[in-house]
Amino acid sequence: MNTDWASLYRLDSCDEMTQTFYSTVTGLVDHYLPLITVKRHTTDKPRVTDQFRRLIRCRQNALKNSQVARYRLYRNRVQRMSKVLQRKYYARKLKGLRSSNPRNWWRSVKLITGRKTSITQPMVGLANQLHDGNMQALADNLNRFFQGVAADLSPLDDSIMPPPTEAVPYEFTISQADVERKLSQINVYKAPGPDGLPNWLLRDFCAHLAGPVCAIYNASVREGFVPPCWKESNVVPVPKVHPPRDIEADLRPIYLTATLGKVLESFVGAWILERVGSTIDDRQYGALKQRSTTHALVDMLHHWHAAVHNGQSVRTVFVDFAKAFDHVDHNVLVFKMVALGLPDATVRWICAFLRHRRQRVKIGDILSHWLQLTAGKPQGSYLGPLTFIILIDCLRPPGTSHPQVCR
C-alpha cells in the first residue's frame, strides 16, 4: 500500500484532510478489494459449495426433462458429495474447537447447530405490533425515542466555550509512533462505525496509515475541530427480554462510533486524566483503569463488616439513574471541566466533540434517518464514561472535600 500522502499534508484544515483521507482509503479498498455479489439462499447449509449447487441444478434439470438415467447419475453424485462435504465441514470445525477461545467456540457451536439468528429476528414481532411489519418505520420510531430522552435539555451554549488560541502547548502534540501503536491494538472483532472503515484495515495497515491519521489528529486538536463523521453513531437496539414488546422498557441502545474517532478520544482522555485523576473520588470504581466492580464490592463489604463488628447498624440505599448517559447536560459538563482547571485547548476540543452529534438506528441492513442530538453521551465512545464520572464526582459522602463545583 504505497500511497503518496503529500497532498494531504499540504492541506490547511482538519476537515479537508479528513475528506482527502477517507476518499483515498475508500478508493484503494474499492480498487483492490472490490465487492462481489454472491447469491445465497437462507436455507443453504454453511458446507454448501458452488460445485454442489451445480450438481443439484443438473439433477433437477434431468428430472424436469424426464431423463431417468441422467437423473439417477446426478442424484447419486449429489448424495455422495453431500456426505463428503458434511464430513469435511465437521472435521474442519471441530478439529481446533477444543483449544479455541470462548468467542470462537460459541460462534462455531451456534453455526453448526443452526442457532445463530439474525439481529432483525427479535424485532419482527415489535414491528408487527406497532407498524404492521414495517421495519423502516420501526427504526425511525426507535431513533426518535432514543433522541427524545434528552429533549428537555438545552444544547451547548457557545458562550461558555474557551476562545481559540494561536498555539497549542507542545504537550498536546500526538506522535506518529503512538498513533501506530494504538492502531495496531484495535480489536478487529468490534463492529465499525458509520464511517465504514473496517477495523482490520486500520490494524493491518497501521504502519501506512499512521502518518496521515496523526496529521489529522494534531490538526483536530490545534483547531478545536472534530470531523463530523467521527460524531455520528449507529445505534443498535438490543432486547433486554425476548421477545421485546415495549420500546421504552425492553430495548437497550448500543452505540457504534468511528474507530478513528475513538482512538483520538483516548489521547484526549489521557490528557484529562493526567490533570483531574487525583481529584476524582478514590471510591469511584467505574470507567477507570485498574478499578472494577470487584473493588467496589470489597470496599462495600469491608465497611459493612466493620460496622457490624463495632456493634453498629448498616443501612443501604441503591440509586439507579434512569437513562443516565442519555441525559447528560452538555452545559453542566463543560462548566465542571472549566472549574477543574482543564486547559482551554482540551475544553475547546470537548465542546467540538459534543456539538452537532448525530445518530441513526441500525436494525440489520435497515437504517433510520439521521437525527441531531442536543445532550447525552455516546456510550460506545472512550470519553463517554470518563466525562460522566467527572459530571457526577460531586456526589460524595458528607464531609468529603472536593474541589469540583456542583451545579
Side-chain angles (χ1 to χ4, degrees):
M1 187 176 176
N2 297 322
T3 305
D4 185 10
W5 297 102
S7 59
L8 182 143
Y9 297 136
R10 289 194 295 265
L11 296 174
D12 297 328
S13 70
C14 177
D15 192 19
E16 294 177 344
M17 296 170 71
T18 306
Q19 294 180 19
T20 302
F21 173 81
Y22 273 91
S23 62
T24 303
V25 173
T26 54
L28 291 171
V29 171
D30 293 339
H31 178 74
Y32 292 103
L33 301 171
L35 294 176
I36 59 175
T37 302
V38 179
K39 293 184 178 180
R40 291 290 185 269
H41 296 285
T42 56
T43 56
D44 281 350
K45 303 297 182 183
R47 59 182 178 270
V48 171
T49 62
D50 292 336
Q51 183 181 3
F52 186 70
R53 291 189 183 88
R54 285 194 294 269
L55 286 178
I56 292 179
R57 287 196 296 268
C58 292
R59 182 196 64 184
Q60 297 304 108
N61 185 55
L63 178 63
K64 180 180 179 180
N65 296 322
S66 302
Q67 299 173 348
V68 179
R70 189 166 178 265
Y71 166 75
R72 290 175 178 174
L73 172 65
Y74 283 108
R75 180 198 60 188
N76 295 337
R77 288 185 180 180
V78 167
Q79 292 176 351
R80 286 194 296 268
M81 179 169 284
S82 176
K83 295 179 181 179
V84 171
L85 290 176
Q86 184 175 358
R87 185 169 60 251
K88 288 183 177 180
Y89 174 77
Y90 282 102
R92 185 173 67 254
K93 291 295 182 180
L94 296 176
K95 184 177 181 180
L97 200 57
R98 186 179 296 273
S99 59
S100 64
N101 57 52
R103 180 194 299 272
N104 293 334
W105 191 91
W106 278 111
R107 181 187 295 113
S108 299
V109 168
K110 290 179 180 179
L111 190 62
I112 292 173
T113 59
R115 295 183 59 190
K116 188 174 183 180
T117 58
S118 171
I119 193 173
T120 61
Q121 184 172 339
M123 309 299 293
V124 171
L126 201 57
N128 292 335
Q129 175 185 344
L130 300 177
H131 301 286
D132 295 329
N134 190 334
M135 296 295 291
Q136 181 65 55
L138 176 64
D140 289 328
N141 190 6
L142 290 174
N143 200 23
R144 288 191 297 269
F145 167 71
F146 292 142
Q147 181 214 30
V149 171
D152 60 316
L153 299 178
S154 302
L156 183 62
D157 186 0
D158 293 342
S159 63
I160 65 175
M161 295 176 57
T165 56
E166 295 182 358
V168 175
Y170 178 76
E171 56 187 319
F172 297 143
T173 301
I174 302 172
S175 68
Q176 181 174 334
D178 289 338
V179 174
E180 182 176 348
R181 175 177 56 84
K182 285 187 176 290
L183 292 180
S184 66
Q185 297 172 352
I186 290 176
N187 186 352
V188 297
Y189 294 107
K190 291 187 176 180
D195 64 340
L197 286 185
N199 289 338
W200 64 263
L201 177 71
L202 299 175
R203 187 196 65 176
D204 295 347
F205 295 95
C206 61
H208 303 278
L209 300 177
V213 171
C214 179
I216 295 173
Y217 284 175
N218 286 313
S220 174
V221 176
R222 184 172 59 252
E223 300 174 17
F225 173 83
V226 179
C229 60
W230 294 352
K231 296 190 291 184
E232 297 175 342
S233 305
N234 281 339
V235 184
V236 180
V238 176
K240 300 178 184 179
V241 297
H242 293 273
R245 293 183 175 85
D246 183 70
I247 289 180
E248 298 184 8
D250 296 343
L251 296 176
R252 178 184 295 108
I254 302 299
Y255 293 79
L256 302 177
T257 58
T259 302
L260 287 178
K262 288 189 286 189
V263 173
L264 178 54
E265 291 177 49
S266 67
F267 286 107
V268 179
W271 298 336
I272 295 175
L273 270 179
E274 185 179 353
R275 284 159 177 78
V276 306
S278 59
T279 66
I280 295 177
D281 189 0
D282 292 335
R283 299 173 70 178
Q284 171 59 253
Y285 299 105
L288 295 174
K289 285 186 177 181
Q290 299 179 349
R291 301 189 189 185
S292 66
T293 53
T294 302
H295 296 92
L297 290 172
V298 170
D299 179 73
M300 180 175 62
L301 291 174
H302 168 72
H303 287 84
W304 289 357
H305 291 164
V308 173
H309 180 74
N310 294 328
Q312 300 174 350
S313 61
V314 176
R315 295 180 177 86
T316 305
V317 177
F318 292 94
V319 180
D320 182 20
F321 292 98
K323 303 292 182 182
F325 270 78
D326 300 328
H327 204 261
V328 171
D329 192 322
H330 293 169
N331 294 285
V332 176
L333 174 61
V334 174
F335 176 82
K336 292 192 173 184
M337 299 183 76
V338 173
L340 281 171
L342 288 175
D344 289 349
T346 304
V347 177
R348 189 170 60 253
W349 191 92
I350 291 294
C351 290
F353 174 75
L354 296 174
R355 296 174 70 244
H356 306 307
R357 299 195 67 88
R358 298 199 306 168
Q359 71 176 29
R360 64 183 178 184
V361 167
K362 187 175 188 295
I363 307 176
D365 297 330
I366 300 172
L367 296 171
S368 71
H369 296 89
W370 289 104
L371 290 178
Q372 187 163 317
L373 305 175
T374 58
K377 298 294 298 180
Q379 300 183 35
S381 64
Y382 181 93
L383 286 176
L386 176 60
T387 53
F388 181 75
I389 64 174
I390 292 176
L391 179 70
I392 65 172
D393 191 54
C394 60
L395 302 176
R396 300 192 184 193
T400 304
S401 61
H402 56 88
Q404 194 164 334
V405 179
C406 290
R407 181 180 178 182

